[in-house]
Amino acid sequence: MSEPVIQTRIWQEEAEPDNPFAARAAFCRGYDVYGELLGQIRWVEMLALLFRDEALTKAEADLLEALAVALANPGPRDPAVHAAMCGGVGGSTSAASLIAALAVGAGQYGGGREVFLVMQAWEACGTNLDAWRQWLTAPTTDEVSIWPAPQHKPGFDPHGASTATPVKQALACFVSLNSSARLVWLEQHRAEMEEICGLPLALSFVAAAALADLGFSAEQGEMLHLLLRLPGAAAHALEQRQLGHKKFPFFAIELQHDNAREQA
Amino acid sequence: MKPLTLLEHVGCLKTQMGACFVGSRAVFRGHDLHAELKDMEWVELFVFGITGRRFSAAQLRMMQALWTYTSYPDARIWNNRVAALAGTARSTGNLGIAAALAISEATIYGRGIDIRAIEFFIRAKKQVEDGGNLTEIVASELKQKRSIAGYGRPIAAADERIKPIMALARSLGLADGDYVRLAFSIEEILSAGRWRQSMNCGGLAAALAADFGLSPQEYYLFSFPAFLAGMPPCYIEAQQKEEGSLFPLTCAHIRYEGVAKRRWKTAED
């Protein structure tokens, strides 16, 4: 068997002289984390540094921080936060509430997979409206995978009536902080894209544009979207734990297949 | 733009699947769970829940065996290792095992393979029935996807589960279904060609499931507990041993291959 080593470009550790299992110093992509970064680096700069060698510029850090704020809480109506509250209300473990938020928030309807698919589309279409037109009008693929068959164009709201105000506000704010290629292009062509698709843009499309402009791959963007939406899920789960299950909706049910009733 | 169809669904769940009438009865796909379905084995109820269909005793026996034969309490295996790490880190068994099951939905093994394998068998059988040549179908699939789910194995060439699964299938009269025969025909093509791949358990299990009439999605959901029985032992042993003592790594076990040490510069406008 080969020596059990973990190869990494991200992290390096030096052991304390008296204990090979205790790190005296830890380096993230060459920077001394506890000796130098701590107290100097912004949270979003550290977040980005974990995924890439180059530190963010000031404008990039401002954009990532604004994105983190925009994604921090999808609100209690969002299925992922709803799932976390189901954990809170029954007294499940904190981790279970976050796992629930991740599992539900991983999907193709407003979740991480949707961001992944839009980022793949950004890679393929760039800032070329004709390429987007083709992507928007192409039939959805019928390839079988663990993911359910897509039911709407990723990044658009299948239940939307018009572009939601926060989507427009987030896009405008991101462009003001960092006039990067995709975001600027999206602000200029949002209406045309929506016209071609027949649906209003969703926040996931704007998030995907920001993440792509920050240089993240589709896989990295999916991970960051999953991570950055957790704070709201955590807070709402704890709040419902405090409030208790009697104040949490249980909903009415209409059972459409019931032998007992059908035979009666 | 779109009409507000969501309004129709506010506040009420309309369902064919079932309901719990607390204090009186529970309905499962139309049937009273504690009366009509009370004698069902768990595996039978599970598959009934997924498909809404009933299966023969032989088929259910085979389905359960597929789970039994794929449950290895070896904490080195990636999904089991998650359950064991939860034990060594003194997390809960439920969290560790739930995460280990989630991890089992992988691309190179587990659920990702299962759904691809059964989908290919169903597609290939249809193509053969439509006059296609199986060798060409296999070659074309390999060209497009570079691998055929259910053949080859990430860490070993042979699969020790094939023999006992086929022995049981023969004893139950389930070894000669169209899909099982197709799966072995594909193996012949793959082992004779330059690919040198044999069928793995994922391939055979998917073929059996296809013979039982499961759709790709039904089979995918059915496979969920496939590795489950091997996980609790991994958690238990790790939890019984000294905390942190499972697969400890010293600082020297990190082989850093990144940028050399450097000084941080605060980003400016």
Side-chain angles (χ1 to χ4, degrees), chain B residues 164-188:
Chain B
I165 290 174
M166 281 310 291
L168 180 64
R170 272 190 289 273
S171 77
L172 294 168
L174 301 172
D176 300 311
D178 288 349
Y179 284 104
V180 168
R181 283 189 283 117
L182 176 75
F184 280 105
S185 302
I186 292 171
E187 183 180 44
E188 258 178 54

Side-chain angles (χ1 to χ4, degrees), chain A residues 19-203:
Chain A
N19 184 355
F21 293 98
R24 179 179 60 81
F27 297 85
C28 182
R29 300 201 186 263
Y31 299 113
D32 185 339
V33 177
Y34 298 95
E36 191 181 18
L37 293 183
L38 201 59
Q40 286 201 72
I41 193 171
R42 289 162 71 177
W43 148 243
V44 288
E45 289 176 311
M46 183 66 188
L47 189 61
L49 199 55
L50 286 162
F51 289 91
R52 52 182 245 182
D53 279 342
E54 310 80 38
L56 294 178
T57 64
K58 169 82 168 50
E60 287 174 331
D62 290 345
L63 173 59
L64 184 53
E65 191 158 298
L67 176 67
V69 172
L71 296 179
N73 189 17
R77 296 184 302 110
D78 181 271
V81 180
H82 192 162
M85 293 190 299
C86 288
V89 81
S92 305
T93 57
S94 297
S97 288
L98 291 186
I99 288 170
L102 285 172
V104 176
Q108 295 168 145
Y109 175 53
R113 191 67 184 176
E114 180 156 38
V115 169
F116 173 86
L117 294 171
V118 179
M119 288 186 72
Q120 276 193 329
W122 273 115
E123 280 166 27
C125 304
T127 52
N128 179 336
L129 187 61
D130 283 337
W132 279 108
R133 192 187 308 277
Q134 246 180 3
W135 181 79
L136 286 166
T137 52
T140 51
T141 58
D142 54 359
E143 194 173 318
V144 171
S145 86
I146 55 169
W147 298 99
Q151 291 190 322
H152 70 277
K153 274 292 161 194
F156 291 82
D157 180 359
H159 301 298
S162 62
T163 321
T165 306
V167 174
K168 291 189 276 193
Q169 288 170 321
L171 182 55
C173 168
F174 294 170
V175 169
S176 76
L177 291 170
N178 188 337
S179 50
S180 48
R182 293 173 189 81
L183 286 167
V184 170
W185 185 89
L186 184 59
E187 197 176 42
Q188 286 165 358
H189 295 88
R190 176 180 61 78
E192 286 162 281
M193 297 276 282
E194 291 174 327
E195 184 64 34
I196 299 165
C197 186
L199 292 172
L201 207 70
L203 189 59

Side-chain angles (χ1 to χ4, degrees), chain B residues 67-167:
Chain B
W67 296 338
T68 304
Y69 296 173
T70 49
S71 290
Y72 294 3
D74 182 336
R76 296 171 307 165
I77 301 171
W78 307 311
N79 50 356
N80 289 344
R81 198 187 298 184
V82 173
L85 287 167
T88 203
R90 300 298 187 259
S91 184
T92 75
N94 203 111
L95 286 171
I97 293 164
L101 279 176
I103 289 286
S104 305
E105 184 170 65
T107 306
I108 61 170
Y109 73 99
R111 305 300 77 76
I113 290 293
D114 294 341
I115 197 161
R116 279 179 51 212
I118 193 169
E119 189 275 333
F120 174 63
F121 287 146
I122 291 170
R123 187 158 40 88
K125 179 164 176 282
K126 191 166 180 315
Q127 287 173 349
V128 169
E129 285 166 356
D130 291 346
N133 174 291
L134 187 59
T135 306
E136 286 166 16
I137 294 166
V138 167
S140 149
E141 185 77 0
L142 274 170
K143 198 175 171 192
Q144 265 183 34
K145 301 190 177 159
R146 284 190 288 179
S147 68
I148 293 188
Y151 296 86
R153 210 174 171 195
I155 49 176
D159 193 320
E160 65 285 349
R161 295 164 291 187
I162 299 284
K163 215 171 145 186
I165 290 174
M166 281 310 291

